[in-house]
Amino acid sequence: MNHTKGGLVIFTANSHPTSRELSKRIAERLGVELGKVQVYQEANRETRVQIQESVRGKDVFVIQTVSKDVNTTIMEMLIMVYACKTSCARSITGVLPYFPYSKQCKMRKRGSIVSKLMASMMCKAGLTHLITMDLHQKEIQGFFNIPVDNLRASPFLLQYIQEEIPDYRNAVIVAKSPASAKRAQSFAERLRLGIAVIHGEAQDAESDQVDGRHSPPTAKTTGAIHPSMEIPLLIPKEKPPITVVGDVGGRIAIIVDDIIDDVDSFVAAAETLKERGAYKIYVMATHGILSSDAPRLIEESAIDEVVVTNTIPHELQKLQCPKIKTVDISMILSEAIRRIHNGESMSYLFRNIGVDD
């Protein structure tokens, strides 16, 4: 079958073989073949992209899944998008199921908002549309000056719970921190289940003490500010001992989040839930980064199963830990591509999705 279909061309910008699996699934669902392109690294580690077919006047979709080498992944996509732009493609849509650097979307200390930089680079390279899934913060969409479709994986995860977890009616949806309570509430309301929130986890936030902001001035200055005027100090946060708000005794605990990378917090949450009487523990997340020795820690933990989607390739981690299960989301990505190419409404893909979802 021809790789073009009515002016539609799909490229995968990833040079790593294991990262091309999702692109192949999407192309199969659309009934097309992946476009011909060569992506490789020079001897000096420079990325080179060579498009081997005409894209003039066509709708190009560049699918990029994030591999272990995140920075190389980004450069591959930027170079490919720019190559399509200079080859006179009619439109260039980026398909990034997981948006890299999405955790760096807020100003902290003397850092920077890297997500904004990522958005600026993609727009400058030539993207005219972006399809992504479960952004770490929905406000990231505002960093772009092009349309952004932030799809949701929750329908697939909810379906997995209903079909693959026996006696899920005896489950409780758990937020491992107050920050993820809204996501847990969304799952609980759709499944008609109760909710529990773990509060007072071990402090892992960055401390402002180390960056010099609390350093006292070398000498008191009494010129600009009146001596009697003192700015009140903000009382420092102090987390209480770990508590579970909600009943998990004799229940199945399902911890939900958007990203599972460093699993220490999930392992600690699982131990806390076991102590409170939960007899089975699942972890559900959209993006399974599973860095470092995450598979080993999961295998040795009280967690019974970790369910993630295939937005990020993790076949190696599954071989190391049989507790990791995968939910395929290529269906919704292929439908989004089809609708954008045909000029159809995207609202069908956002049915029953509220502001807090």
Side-chain angles (χ1 to χ4, degrees):
M1 187 180 293
N2 194 355
H3 48 266
T4 61
K5 185 178 180 180
L8 168 68
V9 182
I10 296 179
F11 291 123
T12 177
N14 211 304
S15 60
H16 201 277
T18 59
S19 300
R20 299 168 63 91
E21 184 62 33
L22 179 61
S23 304
K24 292 177 182 178
R25 287 173 178 261
I26 293 172
E28 287 174 5
R29 289 184 179 276
L30 290 170
V32 300
E33 294 180 2
L34 291 174
K36 297 176 182 177
V37 63
Q38 192 174 14
V39 183
Y40 59 95
Q41 305 293 317
E42 298 278 13
N44 62 353
R45 302 297 297 166
E46 286 186 0
T47 300
R48 185 174 290 272
V49 175
Q50 293 181 344
I51 296 175
Q52 299 175 327
E53 63 179 83
S54 174
V55 295
R56 182 179 294 272
K58 296 179 180 177
D59 294 330
V60 177
F61 292 82
V62 179
I63 303 173
Q64 181 68 314
T65 51
V66 177
S67 63
K68 212 169 185 180
D69 190 351
V70 179
N71 296 329
T72 299
T73 297
I74 293 167
M75 285 306 301
E76 287 175 349
M77 178 168 190
L78 293 175
I79 295 172
M80 179 172 287
V81 168
Y82 189 65
C84 293
K85 177 183 177 181
T86 55
S87 298
C88 301
R90 183 173 69 176
S91 67
I92 307 168
T93 302
V95 183
L96 278 85
Y98 170 69
F99 188 74
Y101 287 95
S102 60
K103 284 188 175 182
Q104 299 187 46
C105 59
K106 295 180 180 179
M107 178 65 75
R108 291 185 178 178
K109 298 184 182 178
R110 297 186 178 92
S112 59
I113 304 176
V114 184
S115 294
K116 170 62 176 173
L117 174 64
M118 289 289 302
S120 300
M121 289 194 299
M122 290 179 184
C123 294
K124 191 67 176 177
L127 273 190
T128 58
H129 200 133
L130 177 67
I131 301 173
T132 186
M133 179 165 281
D134 281 337
L135 287 169
H136 187 57
Q137 296 289 340
K138 294 188 291 294
E139 291 75 12
I140 293 175
Q141 296 173 82
F143 295 156
F144 290 85
N145 55 15
I146 58 173
V148 177
D149 287 312
N150 181 29
L151 303 176
R152 306 297 198 275
S154 52
F156 298 91
L157 298 176
L158 290 167
Q159 184 181 35
Y160 184 93
I161 292 173
Q162 292 173 317
E163 296 179 356
E164 302 296 332
I165 299 181
D167 196 24
Y168 81 91
R169 291 292 182 188
N170 188 37
V172 59
I173 306 299
V174 180
K176 69 178 179 67
S177 69
S180 55
K182 281 188 177 180
R183 179 179 295 270
Q185 180 183 358
S186 175
F187 272 69
E189 290 175 351
R190 282 169 167 75
L191 294 169
R192 312 298 191 266
L193 300 177
I195 184 173
V197 180
I198 300 176
H199 181 50
E201 69 273 18
Q203 187 167 357
D204 58 359
E206 299 176 1
S207 172
D208 287 335
Q209 300 286 343
V210 297
D211 73 349
R213 293 189 180 189
H214 294 279
S215 302
T218 54
K220 287 188 177 181
T221 58
T222 58
I225 302 178
H226 193 275
S228 63
M229 294 177 60
E230 292 187 6
I231 299 174
L233 292 175
L234 186 65
I235 299 173
K237 291 181 180 179
E238 184 175 338
K239 292 188 178 180
I242 293 177
T243 57
V244 178
V245 182
D247 181 23
V248 297
R251 313 282 288 277
I252 300 171
I254 304 175
I255 305 172
V256 296
D257 213 334
D258 63 328
I259 299 172
I260 176 168
D261 185 5
D262 182 6
V263 300
D264 290 338
S265 60
F266 291 93
V267 171
E271 292 175 356
T272 301
L273 294 170
K274 277 288 185 183
E275 293 172 0
R276 300 301 194 278
Y279 71 90
K280 205 163 188 181
I281 299 169
Y282 291 81
V283 175
M284 316 282 292
T286 302
H287 309 295
I289 301 176
L290 302 169
S291 301
S292 189
D293 55 349
R296 179 184 62 80
L297 294 174
I298 293 171
E299 187 66 26
E300 297 173 355
S301 72
I303 298 171
D304 293 283
E305 197 167 283
V306 174
V307 183
V308 293
T309 71
N310 56 345
T311 56
I312 298 174
H314 49 264
E315 294 305 316
L316 180 60
Q317 289 90 330
K318 288 178 68 175
L319 293 174
Q320 297 170 340
C321 177
K323 290 183 179 180
I324 301 172
K325 308 297 180 183
T326 307
V327 175
D328 180 28
I329 45 81
S330 61
M331 179 188 301
I332 192 170
L333 293 174
S334 60
E335 180 63 13
I337 291 173
R338 188 192 68 80
R339 285 176 174 272
I340 290 172
H341 174 60
N342 293 334
E344 299 177 20
S345 171
M346 294 288 287
S347 60
Y348 177 80
L349 303 180
F350 294 94
R351 292 169 301 166
N352 301 324
I353 291 180
V355 177
D356 294 331
D357 292 332

